[in-house]
């Protein structure tokens, strides 16, 4: 397969993914030296200890996170490194929630921010959405989610300048690590620290997103996300966009820049998105699914190969054929019914 951005050829030997020597060593040796837990209480305690504060009130994310953890344990077959990365990622999501909770308590005016109706780019995967997203972000009146913001929407420092440097440093480290660990995945979908990124990553802070099933074999969790009410995830995403707008304004008057959002994920939950983001305009690129789906499944297989030594291309193809059909059918049903929404 080749990437449309850099035309680098990638391996199609998905069953035996590329492994740098260091990762091969860690996966074989580290389990005998250092093991760790993906238990809910353990992750909660680790995040609260790292931030020095505890969650206040009801944990709205408890059920979906527990469903995800059970699915990972029963189905994902993670190698040592995959389990390690997953643990760190989940702790980081919880730590960001703690920082957001603290920030909003200190600055309740964030809740009163009224964002302009966003532009949403959502269509089948591999339909040029990344190119279009970056193009529209070039308009000075628009504003996209940047990768370093998606990784850490919560503030890391009180000083905005220091906060930006810290977030960029962490994002650039993650970018280099991904390119080293999985150059094939990076070639298909480059993740760049200071470039626009998919806002499905913001839904992940509510533990209701397709991020997990894009990187691991977690069919029971994927089924749970399809069936449950996703409104809490979109409400939290809305809050995160307010927080990011407030941070960019350094706590002053939030600018009138319009958010340009982008993810195929929203096709499946377009009603939920539009109920939360009133008057949003939806841009739906299209391309022959016979061309897009194999390319996307190739990317997914490379992603699974980062976390597991047991990649099943046939299962990936079957899962995402059903999933993509569902996404498109639900998205078109909403488009045909919502006469109050602008579709482009």
């Amino acid at each position: 397969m080749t990437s449309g951005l850099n035309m680098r050829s990638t391996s199609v030997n998905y069953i035996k993914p590329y492994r740098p020597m260091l990762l091969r060593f860690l996966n074989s040796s580290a389990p005998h030296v250092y093991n760790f837990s993906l238990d809910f209480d353990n992750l909660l305690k680790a995040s609260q200890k790292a931030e020095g504060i505890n969650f206040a009130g009801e944990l709205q994310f408890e059920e979906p996170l527990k469903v995800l953890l059970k699915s990972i344990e029963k189905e994902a077959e993670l190698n040592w490194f995959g389990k390690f990365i997953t643990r760190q990622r989940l702790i980081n999501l919880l730590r960001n929630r703690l920082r957001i909770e603290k920030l909003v308590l200190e600055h309740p005016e964030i809740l009163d921010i009224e964002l302009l109706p966003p532009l949403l780019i959502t269509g089948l995967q591999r339909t040029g959405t990344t190119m279009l997203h970056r193009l529209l972000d070039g308009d000075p009146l628009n504003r996209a989610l940047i990768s370093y913001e998606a990784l850490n929407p919560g503030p890391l420092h009180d000083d905005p300048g220091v906060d930006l440097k810290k977030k960029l440093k962490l994002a650039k480290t993650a970018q280099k690590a991904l390119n080293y660990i999985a150059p094939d995945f990076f070639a298909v979908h480059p993740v760049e620290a200071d470039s626009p990124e998919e806002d499905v990553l913001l839904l992940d802070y509510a533990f209701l997103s397709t991020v997990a099933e894009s990187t691991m074999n977690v069919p029971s969790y994927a089924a749970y996300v399809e069936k449950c009410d996703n409104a809490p995830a979109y409400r939290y995403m809305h809050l995160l966009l307010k927080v990011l707008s407030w941070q960019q304004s350094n706590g002053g008057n939030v600018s009138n820049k319009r958010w340009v959002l982008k993810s195929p994920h929203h096709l499946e939950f377009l009603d939920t998105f539009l109920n939360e983001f009133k008057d949003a305009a939806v841009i739906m690129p299209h391309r022959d699914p016979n061309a897009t789906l194999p390319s996307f499944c190739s990317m997914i297989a490379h992603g699974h190969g980062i976390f597991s030594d047991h990649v099943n291309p046939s299962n990936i193809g079957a899962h995402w054929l059903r999933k993509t059909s569902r996404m498109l059918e639900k998205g078109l049903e909403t488009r045909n019914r919502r006469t109050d929404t602008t579709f482009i």
Side-chain angles (χ1 to χ4, degrees), residues 102-155:
K102 179 174 180 288
L103 179 69
V104 173
L105 283 173
E106 293 172 351
H107 297 279
E109 67 271 17
I110 292 173
L111 298 174
D112 297 326
I113 293 173
E114 292 190 14
L115 302 175
L116 290 174
L119 295 173
L120 171 65
I121 304 169
T122 187
L124 292 179
Q125 309 91 342
R126 319 302 289 167
T127 56
T129 55
T130 297
M131 292 287 195
L132 180 58
H133 193 210
R134 295 184 178 191
L135 176 66
L136 292 180
D137 181 55
D139 185 334
L141 297 179
N142 291 338
R143 187 238 204 274
L145 176 72
I146 307 303
S147 187
Y148 70 81
E149 297 176 315
L151 292 176
N152 283 292

Side-chain angles (χ1 to χ4, degrees), residues 226-242:
E226 287 181 3
K227 294 174 183 175
C228 75
D229 180 13
N230 279 245
Y234 280 94
R235 282 196 296 271
Y236 198 72
M237 174 184 167
H238 200 159
L239 171 63
L240 291 178
L241 294 177
K242 290 182 180 183

Side-chain angles (χ1 to χ4, degrees), residues 21-93:
M21 186 180 296
L22 175 60
L23 259 63
R24 294 200 301 271
F25 172 77
L26 287 173
N27 284 331
S28 61
S29 304
H32 306 293
V33 180
Y34 177 59
N35 217 333
F36 39 79
S37 171
L38 287 180
D39 171 74
F40 176 83
D41 291 331
N42 183 280
L43 294 173
L44 201 67
K45 289 176 182 176
S47 63
Q48 292 179 152
K49 182 179 179 181
E51 291 300 320
I53 51 177
N54 292 340
F55 283 102
E58 182 182 356
L59 302 178
Q60 294 184 342
F61 57 82
E62 182 172 356
E63 180 179 290
L65 178 51
K66 284 184 174 180
V67 172
L68 173 59
L69 293 173
K70 184 177 180 180
S71 183
I72 290 172
E73 179 186 2
K74 300 290 185 183
E75 301 161 338
E77 296 185 280
L78 301 185
N79 54 36
W80 183 91
F81 183 73
K83 191 175 179 183
F84 174 78
I85 289 296
T86 298
R87 175 179 167 82
Q88 298 308 311
R89 190 180 72 82
L90 294 175
I91 289 174
N92 187 60
L93 293 174

Side-chain angles (χ1 to χ4, degrees), residues 114-116 245 248-249 253-258:
E114 292 190 14
L115 302 175
L116 290 174
S245 296
Q248 190 182 49
S249 68
N253 292 325
V254 175
S255 72
N256 285 327
K257 285 195 173 187
R258 186 183 306 274

Side-chain angles (χ1 to χ4, degrees), residues 161-177:
V162 176
D163 180 66
L164 176 59
K165 288 180 181 178
K166 283 177 172 284
K167 289 179 178 179
L168 270 172
K169 183 178 180 180
L170 288 170
K172 286 179 179 178
T173 300
Q175 175 186 331
K176 291 177 182 177

